[in-house]
Amino acid sequence: MGRSLRQARATNVLSNRNFLLLWSAQAITMTAQNAIWFSLVVIVEDATHSSMQLSFAILSTIVPSILFGVTAGALVDKMDKRTVMVAANFLRTIAILGYLLYDRSLASVYVVNLVFQSIGQFFGPAEYATIPAVVSKPQLVTANSLFNITFTASQVAGIIILAPLFLKTTGPTGLFLTTFVAYLAATLLVSLLPSSPAPSRVFATSSKKGLFKQTWREIGEGLRFIRGDRRTTLAMGHLTLLTAIMLVAAMLVPRFTVSVVEARAEDSAFVLAPAGIGILIATTTMTSLTARYGKATLVNIGLAVSGVCFVALSLLRWVIPIVEPPLAALLGVVRLLPAISATPFVMVVAGVLGFSMAMVLVPSQTFVMERAPEAARGRIFAVQLLLGNL
């Protein structure tokens, strides 16, 4: 990071070559990962029609984070972040070939997915720890905003566009081979980043300890830092809360669309699409909002507004009978279908909800990045990912 990078304005983050390399690699890998996940669910459902088998697929995805996430973060702190990202992406590229066994043995695919996700536990902390290393402090809010935009866009691109397109045209084989190429490209991109060797330690840990004991001792030190820094603790709590809420909401959305809105389950992505638009608008304006109101104020407002939005959605059953008669009279019909009267309401609330949740996520992520000691970023971000998965 030279002098020009330290003096760069927050609005010039897109002129930062190293950030663009990291951001592009994130977009490619997350889109491919979402496509793989959707394809795995479709494969298991088509082959077994079993909820138990789907639970195995889900467990093979989240168990690696619970078992290895924090340990991986502690190890990443001792390594060159670029080397970790290159190795992790290359190994995941090779692991993708194992998914081609889907038509022979689902058990093998579960094992492959377990390995694939376990390797990813090293990439995530290394990536998050690299962001504050390649951008200046004034650029952190913008950088986090762009990463959050990519998080949402990659879900749309991977789950709604890429996976269905390839599954219908080339089948799972074509999709897995495409993601193989995508991970190769991402490996090349991160290999072009500057080397980032492990910094001098900020925590006192005896070098005479064995690697295993030393690693776990460092994890404990990272956790003590989180507990000892009030702002980091609050930011971690907000990130964990929002992650849990988004996961629960993602599971409830199809049933909500069918039973309350009375639309088709496959329409849920379109009914709630304004949430993604809200996130996009919020993240593109977050730099100016934080400069004007401050990160803490935005987080508090975002939490309050998100709560109001969820209450509004829960009242939809009572709202429809009230708004349906005047709408029907206005349109000159006897009765409107529930989906017609409910959809505009849901879409408006979803847009506001997406905006308010981004007001919590981006500033909270920035708080953690600003306050995490350089020598402990990997394990601290690994704790964040672990809490989200738990």
Side-chain angles (χ1 to χ4, degrees):
M1 278 53 72
R3 182 178 178 183
S4 60
L5 176 59
R6 291 193 299 269
Q7 295 178 338
R9 294 168 59 95
T11 53
N12 292 333
V13 67
L14 291 179
S15 64
N16 184 329
R17 171 184 177 273
N18 293 328
F19 174 78
L20 287 177
L21 289 171
L22 187 65
W23 187 36
S24 300
Q26 183 226 19
I28 292 172
T29 55
M30 290 196 71
T31 299
Q33 186 170 316
N34 281 312
I36 290 172
W37 163 243
F38 183 81
S39 300
L40 180 60
V41 170
V42 171
I43 289 169
V44 173
E45 174 62 24
D46 288 344
T48 67
H49 303 290
S50 167
S51 296
M52 180 65 71
Q53 292 291 329
L54 282 174
S55 70
F56 290 150
I58 294 171
L59 285 173
S60 69
T61 300
I62 65 174
V63 163
S65 173
I66 297 172
L67 294 180
F68 310 122
V70 180
T71 305
L75 293 175
V76 164
D77 282 334
K78 302 176 181 180
M79 304 176 184
D80 185 311
K81 308 302 183 295
R82 181 186 65 181
T83 301
V84 172
M85 289 189 289
V86 170
N89 269 350
F90 180 74
L91 291 175
R92 285 192 291 181
T93 302
I94 302 303
I96 287 174
L97 297 176
Y99 286 109
L100 296 175
L101 298 172
Y102 70 91
D103 58 346
R104 300 182 183 180
S105 170
L106 282 180
S108 298
V109 173
Y110 298 151
V111 173
V112 169
N113 194 53
L114 192 71
V115 172
F116 181 85
Q117 298 296 336
S118 297
I119 298 170
Q121 302 313 306
F122 290 86
F123 183 85
E127 179 187 56
Y128 278 111
T130 301
I131 296 174
V134 299
V135 303
S136 61
K137 189 174 181 178
Q139 293 177 325
L140 275 177
V141 171
T142 304
N144 279 305
S145 297
L146 292 172
F147 267 71
N148 276 275
I149 290 173
T150 308
F151 178 82
T152 303
S154 66
Q155 290 179 319
V156 174
I159 296 175
I160 298 179
I161 300 175
L162 188 65
L165 175 64
F166 276 89
L167 290 176
K168 291 179 180 179
T169 56
T170 66
T173 299
L175 180 126
F176 292 136
L177 291 177
T178 300
T179 55
F180 173 86
V181 175
Y183 267 91
L184 272 181
T187 302
L188 175 62
L189 289 174
V190 293
S191 71
L192 298 176
L193 288 168
S195 178
S196 54
S200 57
R201 292 184 43 75
V202 297
F203 295 133
T205 300
S206 172
S207 60
K208 296 180 181 180
K209 297 283 186 180
L211 178 61
F212 181 80
K213 290 183 178 179
Q214 183 174 336
T215 297
W216 276 100
R217 184 172 177 177
E218 291 180 349
I219 290 171
E221 291 166 345
L223 290 171
R224 283 193 293 274
F225 167 78
I226 293 171
R227 291 198 303 267
D229 188 90
R230 181 175 176 272
R231 287 194 172 186
T232 300
T233 302
L234 287 173
M236 283 285 194
H238 293 147
L239 290 169
T240 303
L241 173 66
L242 265 293
T243 301
I245 288 175
M246 288 190 292
L247 289 172
V248 172
M251 290 185 289
L252 292 177
V253 160
R255 174 52 48 193
F256 178 85
T257 303
V258 172
S259 64
V260 178
V261 181
E262 296 189 24
R264 296 177 300 176
E266 53 267 34
D267 293 333
S268 58
F270 302 101
V271 173
L272 295 175
I277 298 174
I279 292 174
L280 177 64
I281 295 173
T283 50
T284 54
T285 59
M286 197 58 61
T287 301
S288 59
L289 288 175
T290 53
R292 183 170 182 177
Y293 300 107
K295 292 188 284 290
T297 300
L298 289 182
V299 169
N300 291 330
I301 294 175
L303 287 169
V305 174
S306 296
V308 171
C309 288
F310 281 115
V311 171
L313 290 174
S314 72
L315 296 176
L316 185 59
R317 288 183 183 273
W318 291 271
V319 171
I320 293 176
I322 296 174
V323 301
E324 189 270 336
L327 280 177
L330 181 65
L331 297 175
V333 296
V334 177
R335 183 179 184 274
L336 290 177
L337 294 175
I340 296 177
S341 54
T343 298
F345 177 85
V346 173
M347 294 180 76
V348 170
V349 174
V352 177
L353 181 60
F355 191 98
S356 62
M357 293 180 80
M359 290 173 64
V360 180
L361 289 171
V362 175
S364 296
Q365 186 74 68
T366 304
F367 265 131
V368 176
M369 287 186 175
E370 288 177 342
R371 303 182 74 83
E374 185 179 0
R377 284 172 182 159
R379 78 197 78 162
I380 289 172
F381 293 128
V383 169
Q384 176 191 322
L385 297 173
L386 170 65
L387 291 174
N389 280 289
L390 283 174

